[in-house]
């Protein structure tokens, strides 16, 4: 953390941001009594590179910018949730978030088979492995052709040995594929990340959605803004995921009733669903025990489903919003699109 704050380039950005605040440069006509300007912020993903989002909001806060409505997907959902849950609305939060991230060993989030952890340490491992297997297969094909043209007993034995190795490799691939299917189509469970998110939220007084609403869902009564522009909505938080069981985009917490979720649900579940990078992390499952209730059925029918009796839904990162999450605010009518996978 100190290394980041002491970096010369970061210090330059911080000083520039502070000078912008001192000059009272206008970015928004919505302010609070402390002079902080409020904007809506939508954040996309980016895997580990998504940590840059925290640096981005860190500088914005130094410039006197605060965030009213928040939305995000994947890595953007992580920062959006923490910005909503940490501290009060008018306070700076990114520095606290950076401190939490500084405590994390990101390799721990790869909580899959040891093979996965080892492979991640080598740059381009899977690409090199695929190249090796293709080269091995090409060698066998060439050997079979040469054996057919000019038979040689020693060479034929060598080719048969290679075929035996190939069969063993195929058996191992089949075993890994079945394990992959059993593990909800992901190399890593995502449990370590899930627990980390829940613990960070707990440290900041958020254990249920009810707790989150007290911090993230505020009326604009204490804000100053031109009334002729119309009333601004209350602050809120939206995290985007994809329900691959039913083939729809999901917005948490708005779509909680569709899955029989109440105010007692931990908001960390929403982040875990949104950050589920396909293949790398397992899908996040929700068991909807109230799937047959009228309230739940009415919610599904409202979006075009006649009947939904699936008690378990699998969720992962929403690909469309990963590409362009700003569509959430620009085109509100497109908020119920099918998942693009």
């Amino acid at each position: 953390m100190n290394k980041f704050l002491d970096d010369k380039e970061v210090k330059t950005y911080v000083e520039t941001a502070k000078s912008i605040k001192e000059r009272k440069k206008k970015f928004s006509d919505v302010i609070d009594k402390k002079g902080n300007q409020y904007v809506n912020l939508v954040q996309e993903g980016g895997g580990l590179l998504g940590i840059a989002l925290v640096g981005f909001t860190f500088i914005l806060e130094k410039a006197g910018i605060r965030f009213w409505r928040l939305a995000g997907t994947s890595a953007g959902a992580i920062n959006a949730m923490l910005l909503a849950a940490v501290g009060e609305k008018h306070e700076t939060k990114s520095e606290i978030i950076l401190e939490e991230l500084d405590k994390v060993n990101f390799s721990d989030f790869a909580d899959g088979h040891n093979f996965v952890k080892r492979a991640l340490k080598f740059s381009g491992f899977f690409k090199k492995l695929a190249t090796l297997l293709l080269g091995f297969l090409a060698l066998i094909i060439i050997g079979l052709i040469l054996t057919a043209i000019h038979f040689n007993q020693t060479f034929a034995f060598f080719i048969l040995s290679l075929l035996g190795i190939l069969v063993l490799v195929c058996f191992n691939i089949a075993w890994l594929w079945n394990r992959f299917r059993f593990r909800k189509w992901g190399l890593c469970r995502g449990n370590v990340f899930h627990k980390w998110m829940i613990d960070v939220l707990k440290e900041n007084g958020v254990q249920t959605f009810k707790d989150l609403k007290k911090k993230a869902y505020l009326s604009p009564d204490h804000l100053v803004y031109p009334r002729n522009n119309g009333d601004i909505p209350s602050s809120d938080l939206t995290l985007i995921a994809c329900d691959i069981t039913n083939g729809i985009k999901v917005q948490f917490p708005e779509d909680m009733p569709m899955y029989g979720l109440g105010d007692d649900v931990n908001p960390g579940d929403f982040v875990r669903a949104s950050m589920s990078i396909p293949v790398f992390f397992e899908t996040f499952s929700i068991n909807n025990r109230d799937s047959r209730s009228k309230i739940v059925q009415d919610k599904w029918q409202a979006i075009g489903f006649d009947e939904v009796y699936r008690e378990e839904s699998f969720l992962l990162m929403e690909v469309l919003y990963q590409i362009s999450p700003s569509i959430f605010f620009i085109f509100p009518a497109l908020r119920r699109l099918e998942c693009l996978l």
Side-chain angles (χ1 to χ4, degrees), residues 248 254-260 288 293-305 308 336:
I248 60 168
E254 179 184 331
D255 291 334
M256 284 168 45
M258 292 172 55
Y259 299 92
N288 188 354
S293 72
K294 188 177 185 305
I295 295 176
V296 172
Q297 291 298 312
D298 287 346
K299 291 290 184 181
W300 284 100
Q301 289 172 8
I303 61 171
F305 284 79
V308 177
R336 182 68 64 190

Side-chain angles (χ1 to χ4, degrees), residues 18-312:
K18 287 181 177 179
S19 66
I20 290 173
K21 183 178 181 180
E22 291 171 359
R23 296 199 309 269
K24 296 182 179 180
K25 185 174 180 179
K26 187 175 180 180
F27 295 97
S28 171
D29 56 2
V30 180
I31 61 174
D32 60 21
K33 294 178 181 179
K34 297 180 180 292
N36 296 312
Q37 302 183 64
Y38 286 82
V39 298
N40 297 332
L41 180 66
V42 185
Q43 301 171 84
E44 64 180 4
L48 275 177
L49 296 178
I51 194 173
L53 293 169
V54 188
F56 176 72
T57 54
F58 172 77
I59 296 299
L60 287 178
E61 287 179 337
K62 293 297 183 182
I65 305 296
R66 300 293 182 268
F67 313 109
W68 190 242
R69 300 183 68 198
L70 290 159
T73 184
S74 191
I78 300 172
N79 199 35
M81 173 62 75
L82 294 178
L83 286 171
V86 172
E88 301 298 327
K89 206 69 174 174
H90 65 276
E91 295 176 336
T92 58
K93 307 181 181 191
S94 296
E95 197 162 336
I96 299 174
I97 297 172
L98 284 169
E99 289 175 357
E100 292 293 342
L101 292 174
D102 191 47
K103 302 174 187 176
V104 176
N105 181 357
F106 288 102
S107 63
D108 291 340
F109 290 162
D111 53 350
H113 193 275
N114 287 333
F115 172 78
V116 177
K117 293 182 179 181
R118 292 171 183 172
L120 291 174
K121 294 180 180 179
F122 299 97
S123 177
F125 174 82
F126 291 103
K127 184 178 179 180
K128 292 175 183 177
L129 179 62
T131 303
L132 179 64
L133 289 174
L134 288 173
F136 186 74
L137 183 60
L139 179 63
I140 292 175
I141 293 172
I142 293 171
L144 289 172
I145 294 172
L146 292 175
T147 302
I149 295 173
H150 181 72
F151 181 79
N152 181 285
Q153 187 174 0
T154 303
F155 192 68
F157 179 77
F158 175 71
I159 295 300
L160 287 173
S161 299
L162 290 179
L163 285 172
I165 295 173
L166 182 62
V167 170
L168 288 175
V169 170
C170 289
F171 272 116
N172 277 279
I173 291 175
W175 177 80
L176 288 171
W177 176 255
N178 286 327
R179 187 177 186 274
F180 184 64
R181 291 177 59 192
F182 179 74
R183 295 284 290 271
K184 301 178 185 176
W185 304 102
L187 295 172
C188 301
R189 291 185 178 277
N191 293 342
V192 173
F193 169 84
H194 194 193
K195 183 180 183 304
W196 173 78
M197 177 56 65
I198 289 174
D199 289 344
V200 172
L201 292 176
K202 184 178 180 180
E203 290 174 8
N204 289 277
V206 176
Q207 291 182 270
T208 64
F209 178 59
K210 184 177 181 180
D211 297 331
L212 182 65
K213 286 196 293 186
K214 295 176 182 178
K215 287 192 169 189
Y217 290 70
L218 305 176
S219 69
D221 295 340
H222 67 291
L223 300 179
V224 179
Y225 56 94
R227 296 285 173 174
N228 58 349
N229 285 352
D231 292 337
I232 64 173
S234 298
S235 64
D236 60 11
L237 170 70
T238 300
L239 305 185
I240 310 298
C242 177
D243 181 343
I244 60 173
T245 304
N246 298 292
I248 60 168
K249 174 183 66 66
V250 183
Q251 296 173 191
F252 288 120
E254 179 184 331
D255 291 334
M256 284 168 45
M258 292 172 55
Y259 299 92
L261 302 176
D263 283 359
D264 59 338
V265 67
N266 193 299
D269 293 354
F270 306 153
V271 185
R272 173 63 184 84
S274 182
M275 60 74 72
S276 301
I277 302 172
V279 179
F280 190 79
F281 284 110
E282 293 180 8
T283 55
F284 183 71
S285 61
I286 295 179
N287 292 308
N288 188 354
R289 297 179 180 178
D290 297 326
S291 60
R292 294 177 180 266
S293 72
K294 188 177 185 305
I295 295 176
V296 172
Q297 291 298 312
D298 287 346
K299 291 290 184 181
W300 284 100
Q301 289 172 8
I303 61 171
F305 284 79
D306 294 331
E307 293 182 343
V308 177
Y309 291 136
R310 294 169 178 169
E311 294 186 357
E312 186 173 31

